[in-house]
Amino acid sequence: MSSPVKLYLLAYNSLQTIGWAVSLCRILISLATTKSVAGSYAAAGDLICLLQTVAFMEVLHGALGIVPSGVLFPLMQWGGRMHFLLAIVRRISEVQQLPSIFITFLAWSLSDIIRYLHYALNTLGSCPPWITYIRYTAFIVLYPLGMAPVLIMIKALPIVKMTNLYADFFSGLPFNYYDFLRVLLLVYPFLWLKLYLHLFKQRRSKLGKSHRNKKE
């Protein structure tokens, strides 16, 4: 990897780490000051939307081959999060104060702080083994919390149907956004499981390699 690419990846991953840390702080400060989880979107929603939009760069990183992640899994994660954030949460104010938003944002913030910190330190070639262990272990607890968006989408269904949301966009199609969302809810658990099992595969590969290196 060339020095300019290393410098770029270090800057990108460091800024994402800082951004998600700020997001986590905003969520926790809101919780502490209001004694409620209802203000999570108001506290950190705009920042999380920005961070997740910028994360499309990771799809490009895989497509250009500057990281070994490939395209499919980064695209699935990015697309799923962006649809959830922009098409549902940002558009439907009735769901913005649900406890599931707090759970989702908390899980995303914690997992992405760990993930981007790990990436940044790896770019420097000085990632402590314990960071690697946390990176490939914390998801076991945090990733299932990523199913919380399903609850939000279910809550949004009656509102989507009542308001005929995105009617103009779907006007030329034989189905509407309500139908699309119902189908998405059916396939979402299978897509989630595919990503979850992929993370376990990564864990075996990375932690197994680390264990072998220690023995050598």
Side-chain angles (χ1 to χ4, degrees), residues 95-107:
V95 305
Q96 291 175 3
Q97 296 185 359
L98 293 176
S100 296
I101 293 289
F102 170 78
I103 294 169
T104 301
F105 282 5
L106 183 66

Side-chain angles (χ1 to χ4, degrees), residues 9-23 47-48 50-58 61 78 81 108-109 112-117 119-120:
L9 288 176
L10 176 62
Y12 172 80
N13 289 309
S14 298
L15 288 172
Q16 283 279 16
T17 303
I18 294 168
W20 284 103
V22 171
S23 169
L47 176 57
I48 288 176
L50 174 62
L51 292 169
Q52 197 55 53
T53 301
V54 174
F56 183 72
M57 296 303 298
E58 292 160 45
H61 296 166
W78 180 84
R81 283 189 177 189
W108 286 5
S109 297
D112 281 355
I113 289 168
I114 296 166
R115 183 164 66 97
Y116 287 116
L117 178 61
Y119 290 160

Side-chain angles (χ1 to χ4, degrees), residues 181-199:
L181 201 56
R182 287 196 299 171
V183 172
L184 180 61
L185 282 168
L186 288 176
V187 302
Y188 189 96
F190 299 101
L191 296 175
W192 175 89
L193 182 61
K194 185 176 180 66
L195 285 168
Y196 196 41
L197 293 177
H198 173 70
L199 291 174

Side-chain angles (χ1 to χ4, degrees), residues 3 8 15 19 21-22 27 31 35 46 52 57 67 75 91 102 105 111 115 122 139 143 169 176 187 193 202 204 211:
S3 295
Y8 159 72
L15 288 172
V22 171
I27 293 166
L31 176 64
K35 303 296 188 294
D46 288 343
Q52 197 55 53
M57 296 303 298
V67 296
L75 182 60
R91 187 68 186 270
F102 170 78
F105 282 5
S111 62
R115 183 164 66 97
N122 263 338
F139 80 88
Y143 205 75
F169 181 84
N176 55 26
V187 302
L193 182 61
Q202 278 189 325
R204 287 193 299 270
H211 181 67

Side-chain angles (χ1 to χ4, degrees), residues 55-202:
F56 183 72
M57 296 303 298
E58 292 160 45
V59 180
L60 298 181
H61 296 166
L64 294 172
I66 63 175
V67 296
S69 62
V71 175
L72 178 60
F73 289 106
L75 182 60
M76 285 174 63
Q77 184 176 47
W78 180 84
R81 283 189 177 189
M82 286 303 292
H83 168 259
F84 169 73
L85 284 171
L86 300 186
I88 298 176
V89 180
R90 198 171 183 85
R91 187 68 186 270
I92 304 173
S93 59
E94 291 89 340
V95 305
Q96 291 175 3
Q97 296 185 359
L98 293 176
S100 296
I101 293 289
F102 170 78
I103 294 169
T104 301
F105 282 5
L106 183 66
W108 286 5
S109 297
L110 289 170
S111 62
D112 281 355
I113 289 168
I114 296 166
R115 183 164 66 97
Y116 287 116
L117 178 61
H118 178 259
Y119 290 160
L121 293 174
N122 263 338
T123 303
L124 291 172
S126 60
C127 185
W130 63 272
I131 292 285
T132 300
Y133 182 81
I134 292 173
R135 161 73 177 96
Y136 292 104
T137 302
F139 80 88
I140 296 172
V141 175
L142 293 175
Y143 205 75
L145 297 178
M147 286 295 285
V150 170
L151 302 177
I152 297 166
M153 286 189 278
I154 291 171
K155 189 76 173 180
L157 273 175
I159 301 167
V160 169
K161 186 176 183 179
M162 182 178 63
T163 59
N164 197 15
L165 194 62
Y166 305 120
D168 291 341
F169 181 84
F170 284 86
S171 60
L173 298 172
F175 57 91
N176 55 26
Y177 183 62
Y178 176 74
D179 296 327
F180 169 80
L181 201 56
R182 287 196 299 171
V183 172
L184 180 61
L185 282 168
L186 288 176
V187 302
Y188 189 96
F190 299 101
L191 296 175
W192 175 89
L193 182 61
K194 185 176 180 66
L195 285 168
Y196 196 41
L197 293 177
H198 173 70
L199 291 174
F200 273 103
K201 184 179 178 181
Q202 278 189 325

